[in-house]
Amino acid sequence: MAHEAKAYQDPGTPEEISRRAFLARATIATGTLVGLGLAIPLVTTLVPSRELVDANKGYSPLNKDEFAELEHTTDKPIKIFFRKLVTDGYFKMDTEYYVWGVKLAPGELQTLQAERPDLFTPQATQALGFEVGQLGFVMWSPLCPHLNCKYDWDEGLGAFLCPCHGSEFTKFGVHKKNAQGQYIGPAPRGLDPLPFREQSGMAEVEWVKYAANTPSILRVSYW
Ligand code: FES
């Protein structure tokens, strides 16, 4: 038995050791190549291509009745729905989204510019690709800039309130602070505006998704 145990522990001749090491390295190299061969196509199918992202670019008409309500409402934001046909490359889906519309009363464009200077810098205008508030309205993306939960307008607070982590925003999209001057909730920036236009008498919005949890606005996709 002692002899068998010793034979089991025998590492073998130098040639045997070197052959085993070669086989081990060859197995690892082959496994790595096979893994990469499978992983690269898989990752590229999960990350949408530029063409696919841009395929969903475009304006969609806002619900007429809700926009008409917004035209007569300057004291609070109005939720306005719209439908959009989006494709993921395989399927087309007719999906319903909404925005929060704010009508700017006379002088409120200046208020917006003073309270949200971050939206009016040359860099922001370039990143957004449009000028905020030019037609007398602002359309806020319904996604909280923290982690993209959907916030709501809270009549009691007179502010937007995110249910996930409690960030609060004014109707001008300013991230609110408490009496001690600390931001209420973890949002890294104010609310994000969406492109808005009037075309042949129709109010239209473009659905843009921005990066979550970054201090500056960064466009990610169109659905
Ligand atoms: S997702 Fe809105 S505060 Fe976190």
Side-chain angles (χ1 to χ4, degrees), residues 144-149 162-167 169 185-187:
C144 175
H146 179 222
L147 296 179
N148 284 173
C149 285
C162 182
C164 289
H165 311 100
S167 291
F169 309 88

Side-chain angles (χ1 to χ4, degrees), residues 187-218:
R189 60 178 189 262
L191 296 182
D192 299 322
L194 294 175
F196 169 75
R197 72 180 186 189
E198 288 194 67
Q199 190 84 341
S200 310
M202 290 292 294
E204 298 183 336
V205 75
E206 186 170 44
W207 177 238
V208 177
K209 198 163 178 194
Y210 301 102
N213 212 13
T214 58
S216 49
I217 287 187
L218 184 65

Side-chain angles (χ1 to χ4, degrees), residues 50-80:
R50 194 72 247 163
E51 292 74 25
L52 186 53
V53 168
D54 287 350
N56 291 299
K57 198 170 174 349
Y59 282 79
S60 307
L62 291 169
N63 178 290
K64 270 190 194 162
D65 295 340
E66 290 160 353
F67 185 73
E69 187 186 349
L70 176 65
E71 285 184 299
H72 298 100
T73 311
T74 52
D75 60 333
K76 62 175 184 179
I78 300 289
K79 187 187 275 189
I80 310 175

